[in-house]
Amino acid sequence: MAANGGTGSPFDPVLAAVSTLQKNVERAEKEEAHRYLEQFQKSPEAWTATFALLQSSDVSTEAKLFAATTLKGKINYDFDQLPRSSLPALRDSLLSLLASYATGPRPIRIQLCICLANLALQMLEWKDVLEMTGSKLGGNPQTAVCMLEFLRVLPEEITEGRKISLSEDELAARTMQLIDNNASQVLHLLDQYSRTSPAAANNPLLLECLTSWLREVPLSDVVASPLLGVVVGALSYDASFEAAVDCLCAIFKESKEVDEYLTPIQTLYPRIVALKPRIAQAAKTHDEDIFRGLTRIFAEAGEAWVVLIARMPREFRTLVECVLECAAQDQSREAISLTFNFWYEMKIYLVLEKYIEARMQFADVFARLVDIMIKHLEFPVPDDGDESDLFDGDREQEEKFRESRHLTGDVLKDCCEVIGVTECLGKSFKLIQDWIARYAGQVTATTVPHWQSLEAPLFSLRAMGRVVDKEENIILPQLMPLLIQVPNHPRVRFTAIMTLGRYTEWTSEHPELLEPQFKFIISSFETGSKDIMTAAALALKFFCQDCRALLKDHVVQLQKFYDSVLDSLPQTSQEEVSEGVANVVAIQPVEKVYDYLKLYCDPLVKRLMSKANEAHDDTSKLRVADHLQLLTVFVQSVVPYVEPNKPNPAVKYWQEIFPVLSALVDNFLNHAPICERVCRFWRSMVLSYRTATQPVLPVLADKLVSSFAASRHGCFLWATDAIVREFSEGTEFVDPATTEAIYQFFEAQALTVLRALNVLPPTDLPDVIEDFFRLLVDALIYYPHKFISSNLFAPIFSAALTALTLEQADPLTATLHFLRDLLAYGGENSPIADPTANANLQPTVQKLILTQGELLVQRVLVGMMFSFPKDCFPDASGILLDLVNLVPSEISVWIAKTIQMLPAGTVNTGEAQRLLNQINQRLAEGETRKVRYLLQDFTNSYRRRNVAPREGLGRLEATRFRFSG
């Protein structure tokens, strides 16, 4: 990595690495630069180097920002590298350096302020923090901005997260000194600063600083101070508008306890509603930023005070009208979503009997809201009349519009709950009638005038469908016949189909309307439009689900239709249609289930064999895998009730096609997707028919064992898991011989995994490891006695330790869950309720912990310090907590040994000893949960300061798993 524009200074390599990250160079070069900078940031030399870089006039802004960020990290995480005697000099240098950046760049100034805040937090001997920073920075108008910036970040840095270098008691005491004891003084300082000049009063940084301290200063003091006028006044200036909005909204958030803050709210309310005229002004001038900010103010005030609105609807009506006007005036639809949560919160209260008066008072508001929301549902009208692209090629804008429509639909559902479904449906119905009266006569084969004003109320009907009762008999009987007569416009027909699909439960109670609707759906498959066919497939699924009793006698005709359209549909639609018709097959008499399954699935099997014969590349093989999913849909849906110990007709059919699926696995054993889909089918079969699958169990188990041994695909373990779960010890209608056979089947799979891990590193088998340990979790639940007393118990535990060297979240999570479940059997709160049975298992588990616990602690701590993804930390620290509860005296020794084995120089003696002392103190006090938090903090801090050495972890390096069974 060559230096770029080197100055001959010792920092040239750092500057070169920073420059490399900014340039368009090879990825490997950037990675090398990144590694170098990481090592630099963690080195003791970085303390002096960062100051030198920040003080140099020849260094780029990017390099200085890197230096400031590095210094922040050093103060946060490497504080123990400095002797306490050097801290005053560090503080003084930092104050001087901060003053030199008063004019910017601001990102560097912010980082330096964060440095100073964290230094103040950890430098316990610094008692006059505000006084000293005020004298150094606040006296000069030029450096006052630094003081404001410091005050802004101070509460954020102290309240966000815990610092490992401070104990809990020290942190609490320091927070009291720096925040609680200074809150009133800070409010006074901000007030004084705002009076120095008009520019100061409108300084966004002043408002940001006030926002930061709102959680620390009594809200009544803020509202009663002149600063409230400063905040409201700042709304009149573009430069300070956004910061003023943020500040006001933070004030609202702090005032949510309305009974406690009623007096401040009464002071705030008139100032807020006085902003109402600005809504129309911002809309008229198309100032979207101002309009959005005003909308946010009114909406968030409403959310905070919603209880008062419900209690005193007359007094707070103006605020509700402000929110409504914002929704109505939002021409660009960029701000309306800010109001959605307010309407939801309002609905929650207004539907309560306690607030019936408020519901009546606001009925007209919600009625107007329905009109506004339906209007906002309309697709845009193109200026040039070209309807082929309504969004002028802006796909992001189109996606935002589609997302906002569904959120708007949620508001319509809220309206239904407040003013009633009939009134809301009636509004949509009237809009449809109005469109028919105005434009129906102008419709041609190629033109549908003003289709947007027809499609929007149709979409609103679809959105409101979830809250419409099946007994609604006023609007829907008049409306439903109109839906199947909509003009043949793609978007209109699409929405009509989706709307019909939403009301299938209602249609099931009105069978006289089923036939025309169903014919409309079926005919939609002939339109040739991909979108319409997709909508029709989804609607058909819902019709077959909810109206299956009405379609029961049409099962044969339905199969002919199913067979004719299947190949013309995309995969998702094929699955939806399959799920639909499978629901109709599922309600046939038991004696006919076999025949109808054969009628529907034989053609699927024939297609499957044909596709398999033609599958010579990945694309065609994936088509085979996709087609298998259709059979899985049937096995999941067609589950007839059959008395125990009697043959299940569905299982009889699946047993017949077992050879086809078995041959498929044999022929495509190296193609994971096909194997996974076959295993999904087999797993679903076992879960659907449970013990009724016994006739197919022997051949299925043999197939899973041989296929896993030959392929090492984890999916075969996944299918095994279903069998272990359904045929476990004590399961009704399962004889002991079958249970024993299933356990031997499980052990055969476990042996294969252990033998594979003996020859391959876990990094080559992440999927197998994930599925294996998920299987083991169920084995522990359903076969605890056999499993824990098995000869494989100890080797499996060793395999789990090896699996902890992985870095992928999913296999690690499965392994950690297994270990946590296993440790539970060693304690008093065992999953086994029977004390006698538990007494037989507990010694075995405890013995394993005593012999292997030290290695487990090593692997978990090393993972938390170097390699585990963040998502694994709760389970990893949970294992440590479990060990603390099981073997408290041993674990403190194991932790100490692990820390001693860490790479030299990565943790100093004082830090290690402080951690061990705190652990022993918590153990002596019986506060075992706090040991977990101590270890989490330590590993987080260690991980930030260190990276795994390229030469390895030495004595902490994992040993290779060995198994001779």
Side-chain angles (χ1 to χ4, degrees):
M1 183 175 58
N4 231 344
T7 60
S9 76
F11 313 124
D12 279 352
V14 176
L15 298 176
V18 172
S19 176
T20 298
L21 292 181
Q22 307 295 322
K23 293 189 293 189
N24 185 20
V25 296
E26 293 293 329
R27 182 175 179 178
E29 197 173 342
K30 285 198 172 190
E31 289 176 350
E32 181 188 351
H34 185 268
R35 280 194 299 270
Y36 174 81
L37 292 175
E38 266 194 337
Q39 294 289 355
F40 165 75
Q41 287 179 315
K42 299 174 194 306
S43 67
E45 294 76 20
W47 286 105
T48 54
T50 50
F51 274 95
L53 289 169
L54 286 163
Q55 291 166 346
S56 172
S57 58
D58 300 325
V59 174
S60 68
T61 299
E62 290 80 6
K64 289 182 177 181
L65 182 58
F66 167 76
T69 305
T70 299
L71 182 59
K72 178 185 70 175
K74 300 299 286 182
I75 293 174
N76 275 351
Y77 302 105
D78 295 339
F79 206 60
D80 283 337
Q81 290 179 349
L82 296 176
R84 303 298 296 188
S85 58
S86 68
L87 297 185
L90 173 64
R91 174 195 63 199
D92 296 342
S93 300
L94 194 51
L95 283 166
S96 300
L97 191 61
L98 178 56
S100 69
Y101 280 91
T103 57
R106 192 186 180 195
I108 298 176
R109 189 175 70 221
I110 291 174
Q111 294 300 313
L112 293 176
C113 286
I114 294 173
C115 291
L116 188 61
N118 281 291
L119 177 62
L121 175 62
Q122 298 180 83
M123 188 176 170
L124 303 181
E125 56 269 39
W126 186 9
K127 302 297 184 183
D128 57 341
V129 173
L130 246 62
E131 290 78 0
M132 179 176 288
T133 52
S135 65
K136 297 281 186 180
L137 303 172
N140 186 336
Q142 284 192 332
T143 57
V145 65
C146 299
M147 183 66 184
L148 284 175
E149 200 85 74
F150 170 70
L151 289 175
R152 182 183 69 82
V153 303
L154 183 63
E156 295 173 1
E157 290 303 306
I158 290 179
T159 56
E160 295 291 328
R162 298 163 60 239
K163 311 300 178 185
I164 192 62
S165 59
L166 297 181
S167 68
E168 292 179 8
D169 294 338
E170 288 173 331
L171 180 61
R174 197 60 175 159
T175 301
M176 176 71 74
Q177 293 168 9
L178 294 176
I179 301 298
D180 299 359
N181 295 347
N182 287 324
S184 298
Q185 184 184 351
V186 168
L187 191 64
H188 178 67
L189 287 173
L190 297 181
D191 182 30
Q192 280 189 318
Y193 175 78
S194 70
R195 297 169 186 269
T196 56
S197 69
N202 297 319
N203 186 347
L205 192 52
L206 167 69
L207 304 171
E208 291 172 13
C209 188
L210 177 59
T211 302
S212 181
W213 279 82
L214 279 173
R215 284 182 295 180
E216 322 303 336
V217 182
L219 183 64
S220 54
D221 292 353
V222 176
V223 174
S225 76
L227 285 172
L228 178 61
V230 172
V231 176
V232 175
L235 292 170
S236 301
Y237 300 90
D238 290 346
S240 56
F241 178 81
E242 186 176 349
V245 170
D246 289 340
C247 189
L248 277 176
C249 291
I251 290 173
F252 301 151
K253 186 176 180 181
E254 293 300 314
S255 67
K256 279 190 173 182
E257 298 296 328
V258 294
D259 293 320
E260 181 180 352
Y261 295 113
L262 184 58
T263 300
I265 291 170
Q266 290 172 335
T267 302
L268 283 165
Y269 184 74
R271 287 179 174 266
I272 301 307
V273 296
L275 299 170
K276 184 178 181 181
R278 294 191 62 182
I279 301 173
Q281 181 184 350
K284 184 178 180 180
T285 58
H286 302 287
D287 193 328
E288 294 184 7
D289 291 336
I290 298 295
F291 189 90
R292 183 178 177 84
L294 292 170
T295 302
R296 187 178 163 210
I297 288 172
F298 294 125
E300 294 197 23
E303 289 175 39
W305 305 336
V306 65
V307 180
L308 285 180
I309 295 172
R311 289 180 189 169
M312 299 183 285
R314 289 183 177 85
E315 290 84 345
F316 283 87
R317 183 181 175 91
T318 303
L319 177 58
V320 178
E321 290 176 341
C322 288
V323 182
L324 185 71
E325 185 176 348
C326 288
Q329 297 266 20
D330 186 14
Q331 300 163 20
S332 65
R333 303 173 186 169
E334 291 290 333
I336 189 171
S337 61
L338 297 174
T339 71
F340 291 169
N341 194 54
F342 167 70
W343 301 120
Y344 171 73
E345 297 282 351
M346 275 274 284
K347 180 262 296 189
I348 287 177
Y349 285 95
L350 296 185
V351 297
L352 299 177
E353 195 65 30
K354 180 179 180 180
Y355 299 114
I356 185 67
E357 181 188 348
R359 192 194 316 178
M360 295 172 63
Q361 289 286 335
F362 291 121
D364 63 318
V365 171
F366 277 84
R368 288 164 57 199
L369 182 62
V370 173
D371 297 330
I372 292 167
M373 291 296 143
I374 294 177
K375 186 65 179 175
H376 279 303
L377 290 174
E378 290 186 9
F379 274 95
V381 177
D383 295 331
D384 57 3
D386 179 12
E387 295 196 352
S388 60
D389 190 348
L390 300 175
F391 296 89
D392 297 326
D394 190 339
R395 298 283 78 86
E396 182 181 352
Q397 190 65 27
E398 182 176 2
E399 187 60 31
K400 283 175 62 178
F401 174 73
R402 292 183 187 279
E403 289 176 4
S404 71
R405 292 184 103 204
H406 291 285
L407 295 174
T408 303
D410 291 338
V411 177
L412 288 171
K413 290 196 279 284
D414 295 335
C415 294
C416 287
E417 295 188 57
V418 174
I419 62 176
V421 164
T422 300
E423 183 172 353
C424 295
L425 290 177
K427 287 178 173 290
S428 300
F429 181 38
K430 185 175 186 307
L431 289 170
I432 293 171
Q433 287 180 312
D434 290 347
W435 186 91
I436 292 172
R438 284 188 189 180
Y439 305 115
Q442 303 174 32
V443 174
T444 68
T446 57
T447 305
V448 180
H450 300 280
W451 63 267
Q452 290 92 339
S453 56
L454 172 61
E455 193 274 344
L458 288 175
F459 187 92
S460 71
L461 291 171
R462 174 188 168 192
M464 292 185 283
R466 290 194 184 277
V467 293
V468 176
D469 195 270
K470 290 189 289 187
E471 280 72 44
E472 204 289 322
N473 282 314
I474 299 173
I475 301 297
L476 289 182
Q478 306 174 66
L479 181 57
M480 284 300 177
L482 297 180
L483 295 186
I484 61 176
Q485 300 176 44
V486 295
N488 195 24
H489 184 283
R491 294 187 189 274
V492 173
R493 185 164 185 134
F494 175 90
T495 302
I497 293 169
M498 296 295 283
T499 303
L500 288 171
R502 181 59 58 83
Y503 285 88
T504 48
E505 286 189 26
W506 183 89
T507 301
S508 70
E509 298 294 320
H510 300 78
E512 70 279 2
L513 295 175
L514 173 61
E515 183 178 352
Q517 291 183 29
F518 201 69
K519 284 182 177 179
F520 179 74
I521 299 298
I522 296 296
S523 66
S524 297
F525 285 94
E526 301 171 0
T527 60
S529 165
K530 181 182 176 182
D531 289 339
I532 290 177
M533 291 174 71
T534 300
L538 184 60
L540 182 73
K541 181 183 82 167
F542 293 135
F543 269 101
C544 291
Q545 282 179 347
D546 297 327
C547 305
R548 55 186 177 273
L550 302 176
L551 296 169
K552 179 180 178 182
D553 296 334
H554 301 279
V555 64
V556 175
Q557 299 95 309
L558 204 54
Q559 191 278 331
K560 293 177 181 176
F561 162 76
Y562 173 64
D563 196 50
S564 67
V565 302
L566 191 63
D567 293 332
S568 63
L569 298 174
Q571 178 63 27
T572 302
S573 296
Q574 287 186 19
E575 293 176 21
E576 289 167 349
V577 172
S578 298
E579 186 178 345
V581 296
N583 273 276
V584 179
V585 175
I587 63 163
Q588 300 301 317
V590 173
E591 63 273 11
K592 293 185 178 181
V593 166
Y594 171 82
D595 293 332
Y596 286 131
L597 262 182
K598 191 171 182 64
L599 176 67
Y600 275 83
C601 294
D602 272 359
L604 294 180
V605 173
K606 185 177 179 181
R607 281 186 176 90
L608 178 64
M609 295 169 66
S610 175
K611 290 176 184 291
N613 290 333
E614 298 170 359
H616 303 299
D617 56 25
D618 284 343
T619 302
S620 55
K621 289 176 183 178
L622 287 174
R623 283 197 286 266
V624 174
D626 287 341
H627 197 71
L628 278 163
Q629 181 61 23
L630 305 186
L631 290 172
T632 303
V633 167
F634 277 90
V635 87
Q636 291 170 339
S637 303
V638 184
V639 188
Y641 173 75
V642 179
E643 291 184 10
N645 297 322
K646 288 191 176 182
N648 189 304
V651 174
K652 177 185 175 184
Y653 178 75
W654 304 128
Q655 191 173 7
E656 287 180 4
I657 70 166
F658 183 85
V660 175
L661 301 182
S662 181
L664 206 59
V665 169
D666 291 339
N667 293 328
F668 296 96
L669 196 56
N670 294 324
H671 193 262
I674 289 179
C675 292
E676 286 169 3
R677 293 300 174 88
V678 174
C679 286
R680 179 180 294 174
F681 174 89
W682 285 336
R683 176 183 169 88
S684 299
M685 180 180 68
V686 173
L687 295 177
S688 292
Y689 308 110
R690 310 188 70 176
T691 55
T693 56
Q694 284 199 56
V696 76
L697 212 52
V699 291
L700 175 57
D702 288 345
K703 194 65 193 174
L704 291 174
V705 170
S706 62
S707 298
F708 177 59
S711 69
R712 291 176 181 158
H713 289 319
C715 58
F716 294 105
L717 298 176
W718 183 51
T720 299
D721 185 31
I723 298 174
V724 168
R725 185 185 304 176
E726 296 300 333
F727 292 87
S728 59
E729 292 178 314
T731 301
E732 196 175 10
F733 310 118
V734 178
D735 59 83
T738 300
T739 299
E740 178 61 30
I742 295 303
Y743 181 75
Q744 295 304 319
F745 159 57
F746 155 72
E747 282 210 342
Q749 298 288 58
L751 270 171
T752 303
V753 175
L754 296 176
R755 288 166 181 163
L757 284 171
N758 187 52
V759 297
L760 293 173
T763 50
D764 288 356
L765 300 166
D767 294 337
V768 170
I769 288 172
E770 178 187 352
D771 289 315
F772 180 52
F773 283 100
R774 294 196 189 285
L775 170 61
L776 291 175
V777 167
D778 278 342
L780 264 179
I781 294 172
Y782 297 110
Y783 292 91
H785 303 90
K786 293 180 184 295
F787 181 33
I788 292 177
S789 59
S790 165
N791 292 331
L792 297 181
F793 183 53
I796 285 174
F797 189 87
S798 297
L801 297 181
T802 298
L804 293 180
T805 60
L806 290 170
E807 297 183 7
Q808 298 101 314
D810 290 338
L812 276 172
T813 299
T815 307
L816 293 168
H817 285 178
F818 164 72
L819 288 168
R820 294 201 68 180
D821 289 354
L822 173 61
L823 293 175
Y825 286 91
E828 298 301 324
N829 298 319
S830 168
I832 298 178
D834 183 1
T836 304
N838 189 45
N840 295 330
L841 300 179
Q842 200 175 54
T844 305
V845 176
Q846 289 178 344
K847 180 181 178 182
L848 184 69
I849 292 171
L850 290 173
T851 56
Q852 299 287 326
E854 183 175 345
L855 281 175
L856 176 59
V857 169
Q858 283 183 15
R859 293 273 59 81
V860 171
L861 283 176
V862 167
M864 293 176 70
M865 287 187 282
F866 292 108
S867 59
F868 284 177
K870 289 294 183 185
D871 290 346
C872 295
F873 271 49
D875 286 315
S877 62
I879 287 175
L880 296 174
L881 176 61
D882 293 338
L883 290 171
V884 166
N885 290 321
L886 288 171
V887 285
S889 56
E890 287 83 357
I891 193 171
S892 60
V893 176
W894 296 341
I895 292 170
K897 286 184 177 180
T898 302
I899 292 176
Q900 289 171 4
M901 295 166 70
L902 289 169
T906 59
V907 59
N908 63 52
T909 306
E911 182 185 4
Q913 194 57 51
R914 182 166 59 247
L915 171 68
L916 296 173
N917 290 341
Q918 289 173 338
I919 288 174
N920 289 326
Q921 179 185 347
R922 298 307 182 197
L923 288 174
E925 295 169 352
E927 295 181 320
T928 55
R929 287 195 170 274
K930 290 190 176 180
V931 175
R932 179 184 191 176
Y933 301 140
L934 287 170
L935 292 171
Q936 284 179 330
D937 287 344
F938 173 78
T939 53
N940 279 329
S941 175
Y942 184 93
R943 187 169 183 148
R944 160 59 187 81
R945 299 194 311 267
N946 302 282
V947 292
R950 302 179 75 172
E951 62 274 12
L953 294 173
R955 292 180 294 166
L956 287 175
E957 200 72 44
T959 57
R960 183 73 180 269
F961 173 76
R962 295 299 179 196
F963 178 69
S964 57

